Amino acid sequence: MSEPESRICSHLRFLYGDRAGADLWPRLQERLSAFRKGHPEFSQGVPAPSERLTQRDVILITYGDQISEPGCSPLQTLAAFLETYVREVITGVHLLPFFPYSSDDGFSVIDYMAVNPSLGNWEDIRRLGESFRLMFDSVINHISAQSAWFQAFLAGAPEFADAFLVVDPDTDLSQVVRPRALPLLTPVRTVSGEEKWVWTTFSVDQIDLNFADPGVLLRIVDVLLFYVEQGAEIIRLDAIAYLWKTIGTPCIHLEETHRVVKLFRAVLDWVAPGVMLITETNVPHEENVSYFGDGSDEAQLVYQFPLPPLVLHALATGDASHLTAWASGLSLPSRTTTFYNFLASHDGIGVRPVEGILAPEDVRLLADRTLAHGGKVSYKANADGSQSIYELNISYFDAISSPQADEPPAVQVSRFMVSQAIMLALQGVPGIYVHSLLGSRNDQEGLRRTGRARSINREKLRRAELEAVLADPSSLRHAVFTAYCRLIRARTAHAAFHPNGAQQVLPLHPALFSVLRVAPDDTEPLLCVHNVSDAPVSVPTDFAALLGGQGRAVCDVITGELVSMADGYLHCAPYQVLWLKGL
């Protein structure tokens, strides 16, 4: 038995008991052996784990129908647009759920193994994969009420009898951690007329799967293997923290949940070792990074959820102290794991991850700023019946710069690019939301149309109109896109930004977020300095020596220009970004 097989068996016994786990293993082994035999290509020519991601890797987060044009499927249009405009700077695409769905903009999946026909087909997905590494969503905490699985449950099909959690509505569920201010249980009526109350963590249309049923586990493994066949190199485990439920517990981050993720990791290590897992857990930092496991047995990537609110706070206050203090404590458990750094996504800016990092009044400041800048604030239900701020719904550009502000666009662009440069400079792999790359503002029309707060940052774009404005040097989109591409090119050209390169955060000045990056072979140090304030800052320095250069001259790798420190000071203009190497 191979090492991954041994790990799989251990996890099965933990989850289902020694006897049931032993009985389940041959059924799972049959699936995995057939996959290995049918797809030897996934086990051949795989890079070393520490080199599966490099400084070249930059991932774009986008919906399949993000860009449309007459006569083409949205997936075809997306592929054509990305191949034309970003093929030289973006290496990967996180394609948000592209399956048939019934609600939540794709996250209530009807069929895990089908492409939504309104977007295109699997051939379109594979075409995109010819130019970009693909990240697929695995939305497996729950499934649509319209899915064949749930409909079979309602019809009394024996194989789905335990696939969903049925709970007496009088059960005390007060300990359960809730991400939504909605009822936890939803009444449904079976085909026979019986009323049952099923577990619905996120909405009445998103029915939680019961992983205590081995049949559910086997079906989901089939789904993951199918995604690998279709070209997924990274699989995102959506809302994974809530996967396993045990009444009488908080039902979040349970050991059984970690074991399921570890089992998935062991499965992929055996049949497709080049495929990586990323866990989506919008929770405080220590809980979030627990999904690395011991650094070799769980997710290879975890989202850096504290980063978006901390960077926003730094630019809102002109003070990077909280960001600096938090980043100074970051560390990775191994050279085969790394952070997934992002500032914006299809969701809002979660504030739970900064619990214990920012004071409640700082979070309130961000919420007030969001409302003043035309955004919305979403809340979650607490066990005591109260509500607290859960996320800020706003485009990241407008969170940084008010749409009503009477200031030059160039200042707003510079301020925004400081935020993005911080994210690009940090240890990890950057994930860039399409609306950040394109400098999008709040979609107030989308918000009015749907009534859902998250719609404010999910605007759909027409290709002809988008290309026209990108070609206009006076447009905001052109300015942001051009500046962003320049930053990415600087990042991908230097091994110091390798995800496994060393990182040292330097507290040079409250207004400066400064980080020293060094390549994995301890060469090519780069000092990345970001002024988050609207005032010039000068700091005494001997950076030339720190960077291995001679004298007091260094070079900014973004612009290629020399930066003189002949007077013994580094001078930073308002909202300036300097990525410095020694000469």
Side-chain angles (χ1 to χ4, degrees):
M1 182 179 289
S2 68
E3 190 271 339
E5 288 177 284
S6 178
R7 284 157 49 200
I8 293 169
C9 290
S10 173
H11 298 319
L12 290 176
R13 290 193 299 270
F14 179 88
L15 291 169
Y16 303 108
D18 288 340
R19 181 170 180 176
D23 290 343
L24 185 58
W25 166 237
R27 297 168 63 191
L28 181 56
Q29 184 185 40
E30 182 181 5
R31 285 168 160 81
L32 302 184
S33 296
F35 186 91
R36 280 170 57 88
K37 183 177 180 180
H39 296 287
E41 69 273 18
F42 293 120
S43 299
Q44 299 170 356
V46 178
S50 61
E51 290 300 315
R52 289 175 192 164
L53 296 166
T54 73
Q55 71 275 8
R56 281 281 308 145
D57 285 294
V58 178
I59 297 174
L60 184 72
I61 307 165
T62 181
Y63 281 101
D65 61 349
Q66 190 62 64
I67 305 170
S68 63
E69 64 179 329
C72 291
S73 74
L75 284 170
Q76 291 172 347
T77 296
L78 178 67
F81 178 85
L82 297 183
E83 288 165 0
T84 300
Y85 286 88
V86 301
R87 191 169 185 173
E88 299 303 314
V89 292
I90 299 293
T91 59
V93 175
H94 170 198
L95 203 57
L96 291 160
F98 50 83
F99 319 105
Y101 71 97
S102 53
S103 63
D104 198 19
D105 283 353
F107 284 88
S108 184
V109 178
I110 294 174
D111 185 346
Y112 290 125
M113 295 188 178
V115 175
N116 187 337
S118 69
L119 300 181
N121 53 40
W122 282 113
E123 184 179 346
D124 296 328
I125 299 289
R126 287 188 288 272
R127 174 195 166 177
L128 192 62
E130 292 173 0
S131 299
F132 303 97
R133 308 179 77 173
L134 297 180
M135 182 193 297
F136 286 7
D137 268 286
S138 181
V139 189
I140 57 173
N141 177 74
H142 47 263
I143 195 169
S144 168
Q146 297 181 25
S147 66
W149 293 9
F150 189 63
Q151 292 303 308
F153 165 81
L154 294 178
E159 64 269 32
F160 287 94
D162 299 317
F164 302 92
L165 294 109
V166 177
V167 182
D168 185 325
D170 294 328
T171 304
D172 181 5
L173 300 174
S174 59
Q175 292 189 50
V176 176
V177 172
R178 300 303 325 286
R180 297 285 187 274
L182 296 169
L184 181 60
L185 302 180
T186 297
V188 298
R189 194 162 298 278
T190 67
V191 171
S192 65
E194 180 183 5
E195 183 180 67
K196 294 184 177 182
W197 292 76
V198 294
W199 198 294
T200 52
T201 298
F202 291 94
S203 80
V204 298
D205 185 49
Q206 294 166 297
I207 318 299
D208 285 50
L209 290 165
N210 178 21
F211 277 80
D213 174 16
V216 168
L217 181 79
L218 292 176
R219 293 185 190 97
I220 294 302
V221 168
D222 288 342
V223 169
L224 299 183
L225 297 180
F226 179 74
Y227 291 168
V228 174
E229 288 180 310
Q230 303 308 315
E233 292 191 48
I234 305 174
I235 296 176
R236 176 183 183 267
L237 301 178
D238 176 70
I240 198 69
Y242 304 95
L243 191 74
W244 196 282
K245 286 82 174 177
T246 300
I247 292 173
T249 74
C251 297
I252 185 172
H253 310 313
L254 298 188
E255 178 57 26
E256 290 86 350
T257 292
H258 283 282
R259 288 298 188 112
V260 172
V261 178
K262 291 177 181 181
L263 187 148
F264 292 160
R265 168 69 183 272
V267 163
L268 294 173
D269 281 352
W270 190 35
V271 304
V275 177
M276 296 166 281
L277 293 174
I278 179 170
T279 48
E280 189 260 339
T281 52
N282 192 355
V283 294
H285 182 69
E286 291 305 317
E287 300 170 29
N288 185 38
V289 297
S290 70
Y291 288 85
F292 278 136
D294 67 8
S296 67
D297 66 346
E298 207 163 343
Q300 288 96 337
L301 299 102
V302 300
Y303 276 78
Q304 198 68 287
F305 275 107
L307 191 60
L310 284 174
V311 170
L312 176 58
H313 180 270
L315 283 154
T317 62
D319 186 343
S321 299
H322 287 293
L323 175 63
T324 295
W326 167 76
S328 296
L330 294 177
S331 64
L332 292 168
S334 74
R335 292 177 67 86
T336 64
T337 59
T338 197
F339 297 114
Y340 186 62
N341 298 320
F342 78 111
L343 292 178
S345 74
H346 59 291
D347 288 339
I349 303 168
V351 296
R352 275 210 69 210
V354 290
E355 291 176 5
I357 301 174
L358 293 181
E361 54 268 28
D362 290 318
V363 174
R364 184 74 256 173
L365 179 149
L366 296 183
D368 291 344
R369 180 186 183 90
T370 296
L371 295 173
H373 289 200
K376 297 291 183 181
V377 176
S378 297
Y379 296 83
K380 75 176 186 72
N382 299 317
D384 61 3
S386 64
Q387 293 187 350
S388 56
I389 298 171
Y390 178 72
E391 70 177 20
L392 314 175
N393 302 111
I394 190 170
S395 84
Y396 209 81
F397 191 99
D398 281 346
I400 296 291
S401 297
S402 172
Q404 292 80 38
D406 184 17
E407 60 184 355
V411 173
Q412 295 190 335
V413 172
S414 294
R415 185 188 294 121
F416 180 67
M417 295 318 302
V418 172
S419 71
Q420 308 306 297
I422 290 172
M423 182 264 291
L424 291 172
L426 283 170
Q427 185 180 54
V429 175
I432 302 172
Y433 188 39
V434 63
H435 283 302
S436 291
L437 183 66
L438 299 175
S440 296
R441 313 302 295 256
N442 291 334
D443 182 13
Q444 297 293 355
E445 176 55 34
L447 176 62
R448 285 190 291 270
R449 185 174 60 254
T450 69
R452 298 192 301 270
R454 285 179 170 175
S455 296
I456 200 169
N457 195 30
R458 297 180 177 181
E459 181 184 7
K460 307 303 182 186
L461 305 170
R462 298 180 186 275
R463 182 177 181 181
E465 296 173 3
L466 175 59
E467 290 183 332
V469 75
L470 285 176
D472 179 1
S474 67
S475 73
L476 176 66
R477 289 198 190 279
H478 175 91
V480 171
F481 181 77
T482 302
Y484 221 137
C485 288
R486 184 171 67 169
L487 279 176
I488 294 172
R489 289 190 181 97
R491 182 188 194 278
T492 58
H494 293 87
F497 292 116
H498 191 288
N500 298 127
Q503 171 172 292
Q504 181 183 0
V505 177
L506 305 175
L508 303 180
H509 186 279
L512 302 181
F513 180 75
S514 308
V515 56
L516 179 68
R517 297 299 312 277
V518 183
D521 62 359
D522 294 327
T523 63
E524 195 191 342
L526 288 178
L527 180 65
C528 305
V529 181
H530 313 83
N531 186 355
V532 302
S533 76
D534 60 0
V537 176
S538 298
V539 289
T541 180
D542 189 18
F543 292 153
L546 181 66
L547 295 173
Q550 303 297 319
R552 292 190 177 276
V554 294
C555 175
D556 177 11
V557 302
I558 301 171
T559 63
E561 297 176 355
L562 294 180
V563 177
S564 175
M565 296 182 288
D567 62 354
Y569 284 83
L570 175 67
H571 303 283
C572 297
Y575 303 125
Q576 187 172 16
V577 175
L578 294 168
W579 289 354
L580 306 173
K581 72 173 183 178
L583 297 176

